[in-house]
Amino acid sequence: MARLVFEGLAGSELVAETFGVADDPGVLLIDDGARDWRRIAIALAEAGRYVVRLESDRGDEPEAALAAIRAVLASLEARPVLLGAARGALLAAMVAGEAEEYLATGLILIDPPAVSDARRATALAALRQPVLVVASEADAAGVAAHIADAEFVASAASAEFAASDADDALSAVLLDFLERRVPQSPPEYRAGSDQRTLRDALGCFATGVTVVTTRTVDGTPVGLTANSFTSVSLDPPLLLVCIAKSASSLSAFEQARHFAVNVLHIGQQPVSGRFARRGEDRFAGTDVETWDSGVPILSHSLASFECAHEAAHDAGDHVILIGRVERVRFEPRRDPLLYFRGRYRRLHFS
Ligand SMILES: Cc1cc2nc3c(=O)[nH]c(=O)nc-3n(C[C@H](O)[C@H](O)[C@H](O)COP(=O)(O)O)c2cc1C
């Protein structure tokens, strides 16, 4: 065990105990003070986790406690799993659920208090990480209603948790969850592995988001959200976007002599959602203009590239569409809409 001192609020010091090796994947334990966590922390460390136990007794001031947890998270080099018990579970869920960024790789909530207000319900509903809830069956049902896809383990109802080796039983439950849902060795894709792993790997490449537009032969505007946009050449000026063969507008893009790529700014997330969903009038409620070729240009985008169809190459389940840029307009002041690990993001300057 070692001690770490973090810079807290207004120059205050936050002291934390650490267990294990700092290079191992982290678990930030937000202590409720009701249980002696030492044996469990040691068990996790022996199984290859770096446990930081935050000693933050800030009474009834949730804002101060939340700020303290955020300060510790900001100072850790990699995002940990948040493990909170009782009031600590509530704080963990609020920190992760209210953050715009992905602050934690998973959450373990032990005996979380009842969800008694809208703020807590919203925070729980916003969790996108793997979540384990250890609670009595009655309490678990209340929390379950708010978190999609959480795993539950009954605590009070289970004989093991009441026994003298309760720490061992709880450690085993925690390690089983961590090893399955937040594995220590990074996931690996090999040819033939499942497609989901490959998607997750490709999702490590952060991109902007575009809406690619054109018209069908009868003049109907079509478009879809695409993040496969890449610049190709300056001379001649070429860019590309990959369109799925399953996209309903593929034939329109293959046949049209022109298309446009509209790069979205941070305020256009709803536009991205609309152009990725089926069964909606994608152009309704979106300001559209035309320039020289007549293809729809989404007004006020971060940048719009009007292109002549240069080539279309068959590539697996996609078609690589190459455009020769004829006209561009861009907005130098706004921030881009970003996409990373399957979620929309914004630029973050620290
Ligand atoms: C952020 C994001 C990026 C996407 N990137 C692409 C892409 O590069 N190529 C593609 O064909 N579909 C992409 N899609 C999916 C299409 O937008 C979506 O499947 C759309 O519904 C296809 O149009 P369709 O409904 O007319 O077939 C993306 C979706 C999102 C949300």
Side-chain angles (χ1 to χ4, degrees), residues 306-324:
E306 188 174 45
C307 305
H309 178 122
E310 175 82 8
H313 300 291
D314 188 275
D317 52 15
H318 281 62
V319 168
I320 304 170
L321 183 65
I322 299 194
R324 181 184 284 249

Side-chain angles (χ1 to χ4, degrees), residues 265-308:
H265 61 68
I266 187 71
Q268 289 176 302
Q269 186 178 323
V271 178
S272 173
R274 202 156 57 241
F275 277 84
R277 273 193 301 274
R278 294 204 152 157
E280 273 190 48
D281 180 356
R282 295 180 175 174
F283 288 89
T286 309
D287 285 348
V288 174
E289 59 194 88
T290 53
W291 293 348
D292 306 322
S293 71
V295 295
I297 304 284
L298 304 191
S299 305
H300 322 297
S301 295
L302 190 60
S304 289
F305 297 81
E306 188 174 45
C307 305

